[in-house]
């Protein structure tokens, strides 16, 4: 008897890669528990369907509508009220449910896990006969769900956040103790924290999301040129293969390496993020879910708020003394913030490493039993 789990999650140029990545982390851990895991993903521009398949999972691909139909479909169906992120689905919820129905009917999953800002109770109700239990992964709390479990790995948030949005008997898994981190983060934690007892700046890591649609990476590289950086500093920039500004960043990196006596390396789709973070002295990163990876390793970070839904995370990290924070429109204050990070890094290491221990996946799986 196999437990069957289906994930409904998407990646795209608008959505980014984070939702798929956290679902994959959970999926891989479930496989080790003798669970059959499958994915349903729509073929948006910038999807990660091939990547999920290469990770060993069966993926049911949903077609993207052609342009004329797409505009018709992104409008909510007759009975739908529009969600803030409705357009991220590429079709109406009604149409998405119709597309998913035969897949779920065939698989009959014990657990359906949905990680999608454009899906709410309407879609969930439509498909209720075709799954046994539902887990929703969310962090923006802007719509209603019919779930048995809701997971929100945001630091510092309380169950009140979902008052009136989930059924009475729903189990809420709140906070970073449930952060979905790959096992290598727990494995590198001890070494990473030990390294930080010595203060050095030899290696700076820049990770501003897999997509970085606004090319913040280039802006940060330019801003760094006005900071006091040690000679021969190694700067590693991590980006996704689908990042639209990859070429521009690569050219800027080559120019900086030539002119400034720095080593600026671009890495695409890295498989050893924990090792890179553990061996970095400082980081500049977004305030999405990679925040929890950096906290686990105590990596002192200048956090740049890249999206509206990341503001809460950034605010809570700042309040806890676990990061230096900069809003997107404050890049002119970059120099001061970077100096601030340099001075407070040991305190930041201590505060951030207390936020996440890297054991979240095991705690979530326990609840899915």
């Amino acid at each position: 008897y196999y437990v069957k789990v289906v994930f409904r999650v998407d990646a795209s140029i608008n959505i980014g890669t984070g939702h798929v990545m956290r679902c994959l982390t959970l999926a891989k851990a479930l496989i080790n528990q003798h669970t059959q895991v499958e994915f349903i993903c729509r073929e948006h521009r910038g999807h990660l369907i091939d990547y999920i398949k290469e990770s060993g999972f069966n993926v049911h691909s949903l077609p993207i509508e052609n342009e004329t139909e797409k505009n018709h479909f992104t409008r909510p169906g007759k009975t739908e009220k529009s969600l803030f992120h409705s357009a991220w689905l590429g079709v109406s919820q009604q149409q998405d449910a119709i597309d998913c129905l035969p897949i779920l009917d065939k698989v009959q999953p014990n657990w359906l896990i949905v990680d999608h800002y454009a899906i709410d109770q309407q879609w969930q109700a439509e498909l209720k006969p075709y799954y046994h239990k539902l887990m929703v992964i969310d962090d923006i709390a802007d719509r209603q769900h019919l779930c048995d479990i809701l997971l929100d790995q945001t630091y510092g948030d309380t169950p009140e956040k979902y008052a009136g949005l989930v059924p009475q008997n729903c189990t809420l898994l709140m906070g970073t103790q449930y952060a979905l981190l790959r096992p290598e983060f727990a494995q590198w934690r001890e070494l990473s924290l030990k390294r930080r007892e010595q203060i050095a700046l030899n290696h700076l890591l820049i990770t501003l999301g897999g997509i970085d649609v606004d090319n913040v990476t280039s802006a940060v590289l330019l801003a760094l040129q006005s900071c006091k950086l040690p000679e021969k500093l190694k700067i590693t920039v991590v980006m996704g293969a689908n990042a639209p500004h990859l070429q521009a960043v690569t050219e800027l990196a080559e120019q900086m390496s030539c002119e400034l006596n720095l080593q600026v390396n671009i890495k695409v789709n890295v498989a050893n993020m924990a090792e890179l973070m553990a061996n970095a002295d400082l980081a500049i990163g977004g305030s999405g879910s990679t925040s929890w990876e950096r906290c686990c390793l105590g990596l002192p970070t200048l956090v740049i708020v890249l999206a509206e839904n990341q503001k809460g995370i950034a605010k809570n990290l700042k309040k806890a003394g676990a990061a230096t924070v900069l809003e997107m429109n404050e890049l002119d204050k970059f120099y001061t913030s970077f100096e601030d990070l340099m001075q407070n890094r040991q305190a930041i290491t201590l505060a951030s490493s207390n936020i996440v221990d890297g054991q979240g996946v095991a705690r979530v799986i326990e609840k899915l039993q």
Side-chain angles (χ1 to χ4, degrees), residues 275-292:
E275 185 181 355
L276 273 175
M277 286 183 176
N279 286 298
D281 301 305
L282 295 177
I284 298 167
S287 53
S289 43
T290 51
S291 299
W292 317 132

Side-chain angles (χ1 to χ4, degrees), residues 42-45 61-67 69-70 87-91 99:
R42 198 167 287 281
E43 298 167 348
H44 299 288
R45 191 161 80 88
S61 302
L62 307 180
I64 192 78
E65 310 295 333
N66 66 41
E67 284 310 305
E69 278 181 273
K70 195 175 93 177
W88 283 15
L89 210 47
V91 294
D99 294 344

Side-chain angles (χ1 to χ4, degrees), residues 229-256:
L229 301 175
E231 289 265 309
K232 296 198 168 47
L233 173 68
K234 189 171 151 199
I235 299 176
T236 302
V237 181
V238 175
M239 298 183 85
N242 292 324
H245 302 287
L246 184 56
Q247 188 56 38
V249 173
T250 306
E251 285 165 18
L252 180 57
E254 283 166 7
Q255 186 193 334
M256 284 174 70

Side-chain angles (χ1 to χ4, degrees), residues 203-244:
H203 188 191
L204 172 66
L205 181 65
I206 302 175
T207 60
L208 291 155
I211 299 289
D212 185 17
V213 75
D214 297 316
N215 198 11
V216 185
T217 305
S218 287
V220 163
L221 285 171
L222 290 167
L224 273 170
Q225 298 182 23
S226 63
C227 299
K228 295 195 285 277
L229 301 175
E231 289 265 309
K232 296 198 168 47
L233 173 68
K234 189 171 151 199
I235 299 176
T236 302
V237 181
V238 175
M239 298 183 85
N242 292 324

Side-chain angles (χ1 to χ4, degrees), residues 184-190 192-193 196 273-275 277-278 292-300 349 352-353 356:
E184 60 259 32
F185 288 94
Q187 286 153 15
W188 280 94
R189 180 171 158 90
E190 195 182 340
S192 183
L193 295 178
R196 309 199 182 284
M273 195 56 152
E275 185 181 355
M277 286 183 176
W292 317 132
E293 299 172 353
R294 295 186 302 253
C295 285
C296 180
L297 299 174
L299 174 57
T349 288
S352 63
S353 63
V356 183

Side-chain angles (χ1 to χ4, degrees), residues 81-116:
K81 64 180 202 316
S82 180
L83 297 179
F84 185 74
H85 291 90
S86 282
W88 283 15
L89 210 47
V91 294
S92 67
Q93 284 201 69
Q94 203 175 354
Q95 183 59 43
D96 199 89
I98 291 167
D99 294 344
C100 292
L101 193 152
I103 301 164
L104 294 174
D105 186 29
K106 193 173 169 211
V107 179
Q108 295 281 334
N110 304 78
W111 281 98
L112 174 61
I113 300 179
V114 176
D115 187 347
H116 210 305

